[in-house]
Amino acid sequence: MSIGSIMRHFAGGHAPGERARRPDGRWWLIMAAVAVFGGATGAVLLSLRARHGTDMGGFLQGVLLTLGLLIVLAANSAVTAMLAGWLAPSRLWSSAACFTIIEAMLLLLVLPILKVIASAFVLTDAATGEGSFSFFWFGRLMEDQTLRFLVNGIALACLATLLSIILAVPLAVLRARFRFPGQAVLGVAVLVPLILPPFVGALSMKSLLGQYGSLNILLSNIGLFSMRNAPDWLAGGLGSVAVLQALHLFPIMYLNASAALANIDPAHIQAARNLGAGPWRTFFSVTLPLMRPGLFAGGTIVFIWSFTDIGTPLILDYRNLLPVEIFSRLTSADYGGKTFAQVVVLLTLSVLMYVLGKFIFGRDSGATGGKATIQAETARLGVRGTIGAWLLFGGVLLLALIPHIGVVLLSTSDHWINTILPARYTTAHLRDVVRSPATYRSIINSCRYAGASVSLDLVVGAAAAWLLVRTRAAGRTLMDTLVMLPLAVPGIILAAGYVSLTAPGTWFESIGPGGDPFLILVIAYSVRRMPFVVRGVGAGLQQVPESLEEAARNLGSTRRSAALRITLPLIAANIIAAAVLTFTFTMLEVSDSLVLAQRAADYPITKQIYDLFTSGTQDSNNLAAALGVYGMILLGGTMGVASLLLGKKLGAIFRA
């Protein structure tokens, strides 16, 4: 279609020899929606120059951000033209909805990242106050401790990922390839470590593994060493953080490994065995290579999560990491170029790992995902094998639950000094959580933030999942990339972007960390947890055959009625599971909460826990642990509900 024919379409005319087309009023609705999003984007972009005035630094940011605005406006025009003349009516509204979600994600996710990137290349003259384009801050990063902090972070993430694989793969293989009593129970129990963020679990580690902790007292009592020579098991710093992270994150690897094993055609395994390969050679030569996409999908999530975690290192007082350095700068209102240059370095490596894990190493080899040609064979374990399976699962779970047990003990201890277990117990700390104005207010704040963000996620995420699975809308690939991009963008980076957007001197200062952060926290939480809803609802839609909707339409039902009366009830379990998981993980979000909530009146649960722990008193530590217990109960209940509703599809939510 030529440009002239497109323009004639909007004008209502037609070329010689063409049949006249009746103007459709729906185009004006589409154009109005496009104009609203374009105008909103433009307002945000133009406001960002307020902080820097008209100097060269502000001009650089203005050029970059105005370029982004022009791209959005050009996309609006192109999309509208495409919808007007190139799309069939059946794809019209789905494509309009798709591009609306794309623009929303560009505005709420990509724009803050672009703002951070632009700020990293600005050098302001101290005398004149004018800024100019420069790589100065990146050069400075090579001169201080940033490079060492970055290497430490990579080593930490690699170690945590490796430990997660070592813990998860044997359990997944054992459950997938053998049958034994209690198999289903253990499959659910292995998810229990997810119910407590490592940030909270770290609260009890000093009481358990410190120099005068429970472990050393136990070893001293049996005569291995005296307390004067007792080692500090947390002194390793990086190793301690990696172990704690792995004990929390290995269920994500387990879910992805289980899904990968389920997608392998048993014919490949049988063919290897028929050619004389033993069990171990079959596993390492056939099964493990075919599991690679699933392992890299889970490994990518674990790596990025570990690499960008700030809560666990802060609690364990290990600060030689780049995310912790960025957190310290942001919370001390250091919004200079060096801070944002560090953010850019962190972002670059995180996105690189996501791309490698998803599109290169995690790419499907073609031998998985298809329909199995034969039924999978599982061997039934005898008495000894069953005992061994239970011991393996139980041993891993016992290690993983040590932080949980420690938090419960700390929250109920009345006196715990130089003893293996508390000398006296009390429930006062658990009661004080709802009695103390600060902790009670933090619970209410978290419920407000999480409730609003989940509502937004359900509307946008469910619509995105529908468009991806049920339509041929234009722009689906781009939309899928954008709604899943938060998995590759660490929370500390997104928080830095929002801090930059709401810094003093901008139009949005009032909703930033120094003002009322309700709106910015809701947006941050919604963007961060969008993939949970999209993957959860999408998994349900993939299980419901489209033929059911087609049959309803053949009987006279409209498309909307068929979706509401047929599809919606069938995917209700997926929607509920995705909603409760999103709500709970939002309640216990760490990075955005620690950075964006700076006033005590606005603290969510995790920021309140951090504030209590850093106050230094024993009563505050007990109260922080009690608040963590409530979070553990909340997340444990929702994980159980989600596991029952989604079954094996639960792993799709934690897949890159």
Side-chain angles (χ1 to χ4, degrees):
M1 174 176 286
S2 66
I3 298 297
S5 61
I6 294 175
M7 297 301 296
R8 284 192 295 271
H9 177 88
F10 284 110
H14 56 91
E18 290 184 343
R19 174 181 291 183
R21 297 177 61 184
R22 182 179 179 181
D24 193 339
R26 291 180 298 181
W27 303 119
W28 301 108
L29 293 176
I30 297 174
M31 293 175 65
V34 164
V36 168
F37 276 92
T41 306
V44 172
L45 293 173
L46 293 176
S47 72
L48 297 177
R49 298 188 60 184
R51 181 184 176 191
H52 295 280
T54 58
D55 60 22
M56 288 301 293
F59 176 76
L60 169 65
Q61 296 188 29
V63 168
L64 291 175
L65 297 172
T66 303
L67 179 61
L69 171 61
L70 293 177
I71 292 174
V72 171
L73 293 178
N76 287 338
S77 302
V79 170
T80 305
M82 180 173 61
L83 294 176
W86 295 349
L87 292 180
S90 60
R91 299 178 62 192
L92 174 64
W93 291 107
S94 61
S95 297
C98 185
F99 278 95
T100 299
I101 294 175
I102 288 173
E103 292 188 23
M105 295 303 294
L106 288 174
L107 183 64
L108 301 178
L109 174 61
V110 178
L111 178 62
I113 296 174
L114 290 178
K115 178 62 168 63
V116 168
I117 294 174
S119 300
F121 291 94
V122 174
L123 177 62
T124 303
D125 189 296
T128 63
E130 295 184 353
S132 60
F133 177 82
S134 174
F135 289 96
F136 173 79
W137 297 116
F138 292 94
R140 287 289 301 275
L141 296 184
M142 300 299 104
E143 300 173 1
D144 59 15
Q145 296 180 326
T146 299
L147 185 59
R148 181 168 63 89
F149 290 170
L150 180 63
V151 173
N152 288 344
I154 296 173
L156 170 66
C158 290
L159 182 56
T161 305
L162 179 61
L163 291 175
S164 297
I165 293 174
I166 292 174
L167 292 172
V169 171
L171 301 182
V173 173
L174 181 61
R175 187 168 183 267
R177 295 289 182 256
F178 299 94
R179 290 178 288 116
F180 54 91
Q183 189 173 14
V185 175
L186 292 175
V188 175
V190 79
L191 303 179
V192 171
L194 282 176
I195 70 174
L196 186 70
F199 160 73
V200 180
L203 294 174
S204 65
M205 286 297 97
K206 291 186 178 181
S207 298
L208 296 175
L209 302 178
Q211 186 174 5
Y212 300 100
S214 299
L215 179 60
N216 282 343
I217 295 174
L218 175 63
L219 297 177
S220 175
N221 289 345
I222 63 178
L224 291 183
F225 49 73
S226 66
M227 289 301 296
R228 288 180 299 178
N229 301 321
D232 186 352
W233 301 99
L234 300 178
L238 186 144
S240 304
V241 176
V243 169
L244 196 59
Q245 289 177 338
L247 291 177
H248 169 70
L249 298 174
F250 85 88
I252 295 178
M253 288 299 306
Y254 170 83
L255 289 170
N256 281 273
S258 298
L261 286 168
N263 288 332
I264 295 176
D265 189 344
H268 298 296
I269 311 298
Q270 191 177 84
R273 299 301 299 273
N274 291 339
L275 292 174
W280 288 105
R281 185 176 181 184
T282 299
F283 175 76
F284 285 106
S285 300
V286 179
T287 305
L288 193 59
L290 293 178
M291 291 175 63
R292 186 192 66 187
L295 292 180
F296 273 101
T300 300
I301 300 298
V302 172
F303 184 94
I304 295 176
W305 197 325
S306 171
F307 180 62
T308 59
D309 180 27
I310 61 174
T312 310
L314 284 172
I315 296 299
L316 293 182
D317 199 25
Y318 182 71
R319 296 179 174 269
N320 298 332
L321 297 170
L322 188 55
V324 177
E325 173 71 7
I326 293 172
F327 166 77
S328 299
R329 288 178 172 275
L330 291 176
T331 52
S332 60
D334 183 355
Y335 305 145
K338 183 177 180 179
T339 302
F340 294 123
Q342 291 176 330
V343 173
V344 170
V345 172
L346 192 68
L347 172 65
T348 301
L349 187 58
S350 299
V351 172
L352 177 62
M353 288 306 305
Y354 179 80
V355 171
L356 290 175
K358 183 175 179 63
F359 298 106
I360 299 179
F361 298 113
R363 187 169 50 189
D364 198 334
S365 62
T368 60
K371 187 175 181 180
T373 56
I374 62 173
Q375 186 176 1
E377 296 182 0
T378 55
R380 185 170 186 84
L381 296 178
V383 176
R384 292 183 179 178
T386 300
I387 294 175
W390 274 85
L391 287 176
L392 180 60
F393 270 90
V396 173
L397 284 174
L398 180 61
L399 285 175
L401 293 180
I402 288 176
H404 305 67
I405 297 171
V407 169
V408 173
L409 290 175
L410 187 60
S411 69
T412 57
S413 67
D414 187 37
H415 183 77
W416 192 4
I417 299 176
N418 296 330
T419 56
I420 298 175
L421 295 174
R424 295 192 302 271
Y425 294 89
T426 180
T427 59
H429 307 305
L430 296 172
R431 295 195 303 269
D432 288 343
V433 167
V434 294
R435 291 176 178 175
S436 169
T439 53
Y440 180 75
R441 183 175 57 243
S442 71
I443 295 174
I444 298 301
N445 286 341
S446 288
C447 289
R448 290 170 56 231
Y449 303 148
S453 66
V454 168
S455 301
L456 186 59
D457 275 340
L458 283 178
V459 173
V460 180
W466 180 276
L467 293 169
L468 290 171
V469 178
R470 282 289 192 264
T471 71
R472 295 182 297 110
R476 283 185 307 156
T477 302
L478 177 59
M479 183 186 70
D480 186 31
T481 301
L482 288 175
V483 296
M484 299 309 296
L485 187 59
L487 292 176
V489 179
I492 184 68
I493 292 175
L494 194 59
Y498 291 132
V499 166
S500 179
L501 286 172
T502 59
T506 64
W507 287 358
F508 302 103
E509 179 181 356
S510 61
I511 64 172
D516 182 1
F518 175 83
L519 181 59
I520 203 69
L521 278 170
V522 169
I523 293 174
Y525 290 161
S526 299
V527 171
R528 288 270 288 153
R529 300 306 171 193
M530 183 73 69
F532 283 19
V533 176
V534 175
R535 285 290 185 256
V537 176
L541 288 172
Q542 289 173 345
Q543 290 179 306
V544 178
E546 291 188 56
S547 57
L548 296 179
E549 297 176 33
E550 295 172 357
R553 290 199 296 270
N554 291 337
L555 293 174
S557 177
T558 62
R559 184 182 297 272
R560 179 181 302 176
S561 177
L564 294 177
R565 299 178 62 182
I566 304 296
T567 307
L568 184 59
L570 293 175
I571 65 171
N574 295 78
I575 295 176
I576 294 172
V580 296
L581 274 180
T582 303
F583 179 84
T584 307
F585 276 100
T586 298
M587 289 279 289
L588 300 176
E589 171 65 35
V590 177
S591 299
D592 295 318
S593 300
L594 294 185
V595 173
L596 297 177
Q598 296 299 322
R599 300 188 311 180
D602 303 315
Y603 284 176
I605 288 176
T606 48
K607 185 59 180 282
Q608 187 65 46
I609 290 175
Y610 176 73
D611 185 66
L612 287 170
F613 183 80
T614 53
S615 66
T617 66
Q618 185 60 45
D619 287 340
S620 296
N621 290 350
N622 294 133
L623 192 57
L627 193 54
V629 168
Y630 283 105
M632 185 166 55
I633 294 172
L634 174 65
L635 187 51
T638 54
M639 285 295 295
V641 171
S643 179
L644 291 174
L645 292 175
L646 294 180
K648 293 182 179 180
K649 291 292 183 179
L650 180 62
I653 292 180
F654 299 101
R655 189 178 179 90

